[in-house]
Each structure stands twice: as C-alpha cells, then as structure tokens.
C-alpha cells in the first residue's frame, strides 16, 4: 500500500527533483518575530470584534435603554436570536484571551526566563477549570525560575485570571446581551406638555398629627363630606364611616366561614380598589393591627391614569403601563396603621382595666394610675340595647406621653355572662409606596401590605420603645372625630326582639359575631369561642379606625393645571375627579377656591398652600440596565476586566518594542516545533514518553532557541535548561550551550 502511494506521488514530481526536495519546497524559511505595523495590526485585529460588542453592551447597561414591550409579537424571536449572538460573543472573547496568553508564552519562550513545561499548553485550555487544579498547572506555577522574570505580571496569574474569565464570560455576556423583563422608566410621558396636579393642602396638613373635628368641615371640602355626623354619613365616601358596610360584611362572613380579616374596598370615582389587611396575630393575646392605603392618593392614581390613557397616545399605546405618585415636597407617601389590644373581663371581675403590653411604638414614659381602670360611668351590668354596647374613652388621664384612644365593648359571652372588653388604640402614619398596574387590574398596589411587618421593621420592642428614630408618625385621634366612625341609629335586622332598638355602626359590626340564643338573649359566640373574642373585637376596631384615617382629606379635590399653549400667564384648572368621569370643568386660572395659588405653583412661584403631585410612569417590557441587578453588575465587571486586559496587552505590544510572534499559534505548530527539536532533553525529561506523574517535572523550564548558528542555517528548537551551561542572555549573545536567542526580523528554517 505504501509503495503504491509513493509511486503515485512520484509521478507528480517535477523533472530533476527528488522526493525529499519536493516536500521541502512546500515550506520556505520564515521570520519568527515581526515588528512591522502591519504585522502588529493583523495579530491584534482579533481583539476588535469582542471589544466593540462588549462596549455596546456596557453602554446599553449604563444608559438604561428600553427595548420592546412585553407581549411584542417579535420579542421571542429577538430573545432567541440574542442567545446565538451571546454565544458568538463568548467565542470571540475566549479567542482574544487565548491570543493574549499565547503572546506572553511566546515572549517568555524566547527570553532567558523561559516557560515552565506545564504552561506550554495553557492557552489552549482556557476555561477548563480542571486545568487550574491539575498537577500540570501547579507544578509550573510553583517552579523556581533560574533567571529573573522580565515581566511585571507572573505568568501563572495571567493564565489563572484568563481561565476564570473564559469560564464566566459566557453567562456574563448573556446577562448583559439578553434584555431583562422588568419595569422601565418612560421618559417624557406627557410629550413636553406642561401639566401639573396639586392637592390644596400644605405638606403638614396632608397627614396631620392631630385628627380633630375640624377635618370634617374644611372650607375646601366637597359639600357631601360636610355631614359626616349624620345618620347616613357612612354612605358618603369622604366620611370616616364610609367603610362600614364592607367591614360589617366581613364580620358576617367570619361568623359563618371564619374568613380572614383582609378585604377590598372599591372607589367608584377613581375606579380603583384598595386592599385592607389585618395581621393574624396570636388570638389569645387580643392584639390586632390593620392598615390600608389613603383614599385620596389611591383615587388620584386612578383618575390620573385614566386621564393619561384618554389624552396621551404615548401612554395609551403601552402594553402595560405603571403610574406611581409622589409629593414634590415630601420624601414619601403615607398610610395609616392602627393597633388595638382588647381584653376580656366578666361582670364581677375586679380591676377591669385597659391593657397595652402588646402595643408597639409607645413611649416608655407612662404616667397616671396603674392599672388603667375603665371609667365608672360605663354601665357594665348588661348591654343597654340587649345586644352590644360600645363607648369611646379619652385616654388622656392615663398617659400624657402617648396619643392613645380607648374603647369599651359590653355584650354577653357564650356562657351567658356579661363580658366587658376594654380596648387600647394606638395609630400611626407609616411611609408607603403605591402604584397602579391598570392593564392587570384596578388594585392599587403597595410595597408594604403586611402591617405587622411594618411594625417589626420600625419598632424593635413592644413597649418601652420610643418612635423618635423610627419612621412611624403618631396620630392623636380626638373623641369627636372618632364619634363619626360610630354613627348612631343604624337600622338593623338582627332580631325581631328589638325591632325599635337601633345600634351604632360599631355595635352592629360587633354583633355580627353573635347569634340569638335559645333563651332569647344575644350572645357573642364566633368561631374560636370566647378566647377569640378579644382578638376579633381588636381586629374590628382597628379596621374601622384605619379606614376612617385613610379618608382624611379625601373631600378635597385634586386639581389639574394645564398651560394654555406657550402662554405662562393663562391656563385651565380642572377637577381631576370630574375629568375622569367625563365632566370637564374648565375654569379660569384665578377662579375656584385657591385657584390663583395653583396657577402660581404651576408657574414656579411660591405657594405654601398647595402640594404638587409628581407622577412617574413606567412600562413593562424588555430593556437593558443595571438598577437592582447584582448579576448585571457582575457581568459588567467581567467584560470590563477583559477590556482592561486587552488595553494593557495592546500597550505592551505597541510600545514594548519586541513585536509579535507569527508562529506556534496552534497546538499543531507547537507539536511540529517539538518534533524538530533535537536538544539534549532526555536527562531532564527522561521516562516521560508514556506520561508525567511527578509535579516537579511540569516545572522544568523550556525555551525556544536558535541552533546551528555556526553554519548560519538557523533553526528554532525547544530546549531545556542544562546544569552547568550558560544560556544566551537578553542581548542575544551566544552562550556555551550552543544556542542563540530568537531575534526579530531574522529568517529561520
């Protein structure tokens, strides 16, 4: 077979040419090190594509660029395509890292320092982490160099860093290249239109420290909110008792199905839903905490969102917008959070008192009698209406350091005895962020829906804890305002026994936890029995008060100011609520209550009576950015490290004066060099033809040197350092090992 091949090839030989000379003619002598500008450019062009792609990805992340909306018909195709581009980018970066490491190995091979044997194939194993833990790597890394290293960065460190980068550059590129599905800022949602909204209240009036009856009769309140003390005021959304029917429905459902105390309240004007939550604490402790978003703020989100959808095409065409409000002069929005602790005493018990040991956020400086006994004026023998009695109690005589409110329920317990339930009430304003995602539902969402977690985040201890360092703002609730939550003369249908007996709103809500007993007496006997009653009444009371506080200032009309063209002196004031329901109310800028102040505020003039609402609009879709993305930051660091390595490498290659090696760029070329080398290496690399087991063998230093220099037919070979021999030095002077250093521009056979 071999003879046939040789015969066939011999037929192709030129005349007067032997087989050996014909094969030798295939390759001509070459220059091993080139210093021309063209050679430098050609050798380093491999770094340009990955650098350009990396720079683009870094720009996208730093600049926060939005891509496409969620649900775009081409989004899947784009995402899948970027997967392939990301893989291609990874290959380019790995190729670039290989070129950097190869250049360093080639440089060291031709210098006196040489290269440990274990590093010769390192450039071809970048990304293989098993190489970094192999004897091959560590044998070379721990080798003692017999000559001073001519570079500032150890070769082992360059190889290790490059190998780690090659391993993680793939996911890093994918993280930065594939856009993230998230909420992204919509720049200029109003298309440069001068549009402002204002609440006709000063910053200190929006969430007041003292809740008094004056808040029910504000000169700027709507007409319907001025009668909050009338029997049917619970039908007026601006009144504190407006949530009564929703809460009473929950109490009835709990009696039949033990429904959790979490309800939703609809606002027909803003077309939004608010979520009221009450933490399920230990029922045996009789402590509950409830919270709900403010009606004014939730309604403004709904009305302004609808206004944008009706008037702004840029917002209307978004697949999924989000509208977020804030007040220009205040750090955060706020909502009420109310704690109530009720206790159960029987009629004949002594020292019937208000307990407060579970309440969080109270001052440790408590004054007054201890225990806090209920007033003697409260009839504790039996409920006067035969069902449930409720009384508000002023807590000022008990403590002047805490803005507390008290309440007492009197009813019949399951055992037929009269039960007295003193309740201590503590309310705060707490910071909250809220937003509306209208394409999903009309629920106004918030960042802190769980009230118990709010308390735990702001107050570490139960009592003896000051709120001076927390974000909780105490609320002092007056009895006259509280009375509007517990309106009298509610027409109920609890029992035919008391057809003419009217209950207050709170009494009716509490009565839902009971039933008409066989002996024709009304008894409170919910699921959970008597032990659950203190907690249920605490929950009921905290929900009513929290809802009432959420309606503070809801009678005010948020005003929309729109500049008339380019004329700063004229504009239109519109009631945002009425805009939403289709009744556009155009007013001259100086008409209406406080109208001139709105116009001044919109023109940038001082006005302390108005608070501007700042609107932020976001959209849900795919984009690039590094906000709130640790993985994105890590990916950016990885790409930046590669860019820095390339810049340093190019600086060394360009200004180092050594040039670039034009050979041994592949494993095959390196094997060919070793095959043609005939240096006396056996004594140091003996018994290695079938493998290497000793780690020190990998530390043997090898170099590339020119041999046959006496015949002026220089050939490059891999040589191993020999004891007792002096190698050629940096200046290329011949050593007594018979070799010469590789020189730039010289041709080698």
């Amino acid at each position: 077979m071999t003879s046939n091949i040789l015969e066939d090839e011999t037929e192709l030989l030129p005349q007067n040419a032997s087989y050996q000379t014909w094969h030798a003619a295939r390759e001509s002598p070459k220059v091993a090190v080139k210093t021309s500008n063209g050679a430098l450019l050609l050798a380093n062009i491999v770094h340009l594509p990955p650098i350009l792609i990396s720079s683009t990805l870094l720009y996208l992340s730093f600049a926060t660029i939005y891509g496409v909306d969620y649900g775009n018909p081409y989004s899947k195709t784009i995402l899948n395509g970027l997967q392939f581009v990301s893989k291609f980018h990874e290959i380019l970066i790995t190729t670039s890292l290989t070129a950097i490491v190869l250049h360093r190995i080639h440089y060291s091979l031709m210098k006196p320092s040489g290269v440990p044997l274990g590093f010769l194939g390192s450039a071809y194993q970048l990304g293989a982490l098993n190489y970094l833990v192999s004897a091959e790597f560590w044998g070379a890394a721990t080798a003692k160099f017999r000559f001073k290293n001519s570079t500032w960065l150890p070769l082992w460190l360059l190889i290790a860093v490059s190998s780690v980068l090659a391993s993680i550059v793939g996911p890093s590129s994918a993280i930065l290249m594939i856009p993230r599905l998230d909420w992204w800022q919509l720049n200029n949602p109003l298309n440069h239109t001068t549009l402002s909204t204002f609440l006709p209240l000063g910053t200190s009036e929006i969430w007041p420290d003292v809740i008094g009856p004056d808040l029910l009769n504000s000169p700027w309140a709507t007409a319907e909110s001025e009668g909050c003390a009338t029997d049917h005021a619970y039908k007026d959304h601006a009144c504190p008792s407006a949530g009564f029917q929703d809460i009473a429905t929950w109490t009835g459902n709990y009696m039949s199905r033990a429904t959790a105390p979490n309800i939703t309240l609809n606002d027909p004007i803003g077309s939004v839903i608010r979520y009221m939550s009450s933490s399920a604490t230990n029922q045996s402790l009789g402590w509950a905490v409830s919270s709900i978003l403010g009606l004014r703020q939730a309604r403004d989100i709904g009305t302004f969102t609808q206004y944008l959808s009706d008037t702004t095409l840029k917002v209307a065409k978004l697949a999924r917008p989000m509208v977020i409000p804030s007040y220009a002069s205040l750090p955060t929005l706020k909502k009420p959070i109310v704690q109530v602790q009720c206790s159960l005493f029987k009629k004949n018990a002594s020292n019937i008192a208000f307990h407060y040991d579970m309440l969080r956020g109270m001052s440790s400086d408590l004054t007054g009698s201890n225990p806090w006994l209920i007033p003697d004026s409260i009839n504790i023998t039996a409920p006067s209406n035969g069902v449930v009695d409720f009384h508000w109690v002023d807590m000022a005589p008990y403590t002047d350091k805490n803005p507390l409110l008290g309440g007492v329920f009197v009813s019949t317990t399951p055992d037929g005895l009269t039960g007295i339930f003193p309740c201590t009430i503590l309310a705060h304003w707490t910071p909250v962020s809220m937003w509306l995602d209208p394409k999903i539902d009309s629920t106004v969402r918030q960042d802190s829906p769980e009230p118990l977690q709010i308390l735990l985040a702001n107050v570490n201890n139960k009592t003896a804890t000051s709120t001076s360092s927390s974000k909780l703002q105490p609320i002092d609730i007056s009895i006259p305002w509280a009375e509007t939550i517990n309106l009298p003369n509610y027409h109920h249908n609890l029992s035919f026994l008391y057809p003419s007996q009217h209950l207050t709103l709170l009494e009716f809500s509490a009565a839902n936890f009971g039933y008409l007993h066989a002996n024709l007496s009304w008894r409170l006997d919910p699921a959970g029995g008597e032990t659950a009653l203190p907690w249920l009444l605490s929950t009921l009371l905290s929900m009513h008060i929290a809802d009432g506080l959420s309606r503070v200032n809801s009678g005010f009309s948020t005003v929309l100011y729109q500049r008339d063209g380019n004329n700063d002196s004229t504009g239109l004031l519109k009631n945002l609520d009425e805009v939403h329901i289709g009744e556009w109310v155009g007013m001259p800028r100086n008409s209406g209550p406080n109208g001139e102040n709105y116009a001044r505020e919109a023109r940038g003039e001082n006005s302390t009576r108005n608070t501007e609402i700042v609107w932020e609009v976001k959209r849900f879709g795919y984009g690039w950015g590094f906000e709130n993305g640790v993985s994105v930051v890590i990916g950016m660091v990885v790409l930046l490290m590669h860019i820095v390595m390339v810049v340093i490498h190019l600086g060394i290659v360009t200004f180092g004066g050594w040039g670039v090696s034009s050979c041994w760029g592949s494993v095959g070329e390196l094997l060919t060099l070793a095959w043609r080398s005939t240096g006396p290496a056996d004594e140091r690399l003996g018994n290695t033809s079938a493998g290497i087991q000793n780690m020190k063998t990998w530390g043997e230093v090898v170099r590339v040197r020119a041999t046959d220099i006496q015949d002026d037919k220089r050939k490059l070979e891999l040589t191993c350092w020999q004891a007792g021999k002096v190698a050629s030095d940096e200046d290329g002077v011949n050593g007594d090992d018979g070799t010469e250093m590789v020189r730039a521009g010289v041709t080698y056979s």
Side-chain angles (χ1 to χ4, degrees), residues 419-491:
I420 301 93
F421 302 87
C423 302
T424 310
I425 304 160
L426 180 61
H428 295 90
W429 298 114
T430 183
V432 66
S433 296
M434 61 182 75
W435 61 90
L436 184 63
D437 190 356
K439 294 299 179 68
I440 298 301
D441 55 37
S442 56
T443 301
V444 180
R445 304 177 188 278
Q446 54 183 308
D447 61 347
S448 55
E450 178 54 52
L452 182 58
Q453 296 302 321
I454 298 174
L455 291 178
L456 296 177
N458 287 276
V459 184
N460 294 326
N461 301 316
K462 298 175 184 176
T463 59
T465 300
S466 173
T467 59
S468 59
S469 61
S470 74
K471 298 179 181 179
L472 299 178
Q473 174 188 341
I475 305 174
D476 189 357
I477 302 175
S478 68
I479 296 293
W481 183 89
E483 289 289 0
T484 62
I485 294 178
N486 190 36
L487 298 175
N489 302 321
Y490 179 66
H491 296 270

Side-chain angles (χ1 to χ4, degrees), residues 500-582:
S500 61
Q501 190 67 266
H502 292 168
L503 303 179
T504 66
L505 300 185
L506 291 177
E507 290 169 352
F508 175 81
S509 293
N512 276 336
F513 294 130
Y515 65 97
L516 186 63
H517 194 259
N519 64 359
L520 301 184
S521 66
W522 194 269
R523 298 185 181 183
L524 299 185
D525 191 9
E530 182 177 288
T531 57
L533 280 173
W535 170 73
L536 285 172
L537 294 177
S538 296
T539 302
L540 167 70
L541 201 51
S542 67
M543 294 172 75
H544 274 286
I545 297 175
D547 179 70
L549 291 172
S550 73
R551 299 174 188 274
V552 168
N553 292 322
S554 62
F556 288 83
S557 296
T558 300
V559 176
L560 179 96
Y561 176 89
Q562 186 171 6
R563 191 176 67 185
D564 185 10
N566 295 320
N567 190 345
D568 287 334
S569 62
T570 61
L572 290 177
L573 292 178
K574 302 166 185 175
N575 184 322
L576 191 58
D577 295 350
E578 294 173 344
V579 166
H580 170 59
I581 60 177

Side-chain angles (χ1 to χ4, degrees), residues 104 112-120 131 134-149 154-157 159 684-685 694-702 720-721:
R104 173 63 185 278
S113 58
V115 175
L117 181 62
F119 286 160
L120 282 183
Y131 170 70
S134 67
E136 182 179 357
F137 174 80
W138 286 103
T142 57
K144 293 184 178 180
F145 283 81
R146 298 168 181 83
F147 304 94
K148 182 179 179 181
N149 199 325
L155 181 56
W156 69 266
L157 182 58
I159 294 172
R684 305 201 63 84
L685 300 180
N694 193 318
M695 189 170 69
K696 292 184 178 180
T697 304
W698 290 112
E700 290 297 332
V701 177
V702 295
C720 194
W721 179 82

